[in-house]
Amino acid sequence: MKQLVLLLLIIGIGLSSCEGRKTQNQALSESIEEFKKTVNFETNIYIPETYIEQEVDTLMSNGFRVKIKTYSDLSNAVRFSKIKDTINYQMHYRNFKFDISISKDDKEIYNENFDKQKINKVFKYNANLVSGSDLYNFNTLAVLKSINVNDDPSYKNMVLIDIMYAIPESDKYAIHRLYIDNNGKSNVVQTEVK
C-alpha cells in the first residue's frame, strides 16, 4: 500500500509540475516566426543601376544614315516586389528614352524623340485594353528591351527599325517595326506579340 501511495504521489507531483511548457526548440521556432512577421527589411534594386547612354550610327547600303541614341530615364521605372524570407525586394526596371535621326544625301529627313508616354500613343498601349489581351498592361509595365536597324535589302527607299518592348519578369513582349520612307514619313506596324 505504501508503494501504491508513493507511486500515486510521484505521478501527482509529475502531473502537477507539468505546465505545458514548450521545449527550447519549439520556443525558438515560434520566436523566429514572430520575428519574421514583425520585422520587414526592404531592398531597392535598380536595373540598370545608373544612367546608361548608347549611340549607334549606321550607314546603310541604300544610302540612308541612321543615328539612334538610347538613354535610361532615371525618373521613370516599373516596380515589381518579391518577398523572400524577411526581405522585401523592390525591383525597379528603368524605362528608356530614345532619339532617332535619319538622313539621306546629307539631308535630315526624320528626327524624333521617344519616351514611354509617346510610345504608349504610337504603339497603342493603353489602359482600356481587356485583361488577357495581347498588349494588356503594356502601357504601365513594359520597358524597352531592344531597338535595331533592320537592313533588309528589299527596301531600297525606306528605313526599317525594329523596336521591342517587354514586361520584366514575364515572357510577354511585343515587337513593332517603324517604317520611314525617303520623304521622312513614318508608319508603325506590330510584327509580333507574345
Side-chain angles (χ1 to χ4, degrees):
M1 185 71 163
K2 284 183 179 183
Q3 293 175 347
L4 182 61
V5 171
L6 186 59
L7 181 63
L8 288 175
L9 182 65
I10 291 174
I11 291 174
I13 292 173
L15 289 175
S16 65
S17 66
C18 182
E19 299 172 6
R21 292 184 186 166
K22 300 173 187 164
T23 65
Q24 286 182 343
N25 286 341
Q26 288 174 329
L28 181 61
S29 294
E30 288 178 7
S31 178
I32 289 171
E33 290 302 316
E34 187 65 30
F35 176 76
K36 284 182 179 180
K37 291 177 186 175
T38 60
V39 176
N40 186 18
F41 296 107
E42 187 171 291
T43 301
N44 288 305
I45 301 169
Y46 289 88
I47 301 171
E49 284 185 48
T50 59
Y51 179 78
I52 292 178
E53 181 176 302
Q54 182 178 4
E55 288 189 52
V56 176
D57 190 352
T58 306
L59 183 58
M60 299 177 63
S61 60
N62 58 7
F64 288 96
R65 183 176 193 152
V66 181
K67 293 180 184 181
I68 301 175
K69 176 182 172 183
T70 57
Y71 45 99
S72 53
D73 185 353
L74 299 180
S75 63
N76 189 342
V78 176
R79 183 175 59 95
F80 288 88
S81 295
K82 286 189 224 178
I83 297 175
K84 185 175 179 184
D85 296 328
T86 60
I87 301 172
N88 184 359
Y89 293 96
Q90 298 291 319
M91 307 293 289
H92 300 269
Y93 293 90
R94 297 188 198 272
N95 278 302
F96 283 82
K97 296 180 180 181
F98 56 94
D99 306 332
I100 300 174
S101 174
I102 300 173
S103 57
K104 174 87 173 190
D105 301 324
D106 294 326
K107 179 185 171 194
E108 187 174 75
I109 60 170
Y110 185 84
N111 189 356
E112 287 290 331
N113 305 322
F114 295 90
D115 62 5
K116 180 62 175 162
Q117 292 162 334
K118 189 170 185 177
I119 285 296
N120 284 346
K121 288 179 189 170
V122 172
F123 290 176
K124 296 180 177 72
Y125 299 157
N126 60 57
N128 298 333
L129 296 174
V130 179
S131 176
S133 67
D134 289 339
L135 298 176
Y136 181 70
N137 281 340
F138 268 70
N139 61 316
T140 56
L141 300 179
V143 295
L144 179 70
K145 283 296 181 189
S146 68
I147 181 166
N148 302 309
V149 177
N150 185 334
D151 194 11
D152 187 339
S154 62
Y155 291 92
K156 295 188 181 357
N157 295 319
M158 195 169 282
V159 173
L160 283 63
I161 299 175
D162 294 326
I163 303 168
M164 179 181 180
Y165 270 79
I167 296 178
E169 301 183 16
S170 78
D171 59 352
K172 292 184 74 175
Y173 66 87
I175 300 174
H176 290 78
R177 183 164 289 155
L178 177 63
Y179 294 88
I180 299 130
D181 67 15
N182 55 0
N183 295 320
K185 292 185 180 179
S186 64
N187 185 30
V188 174
V189 175
Q190 180 179 314
T191 59
E192 187 177 347
V193 175
K194 181 179 175 190

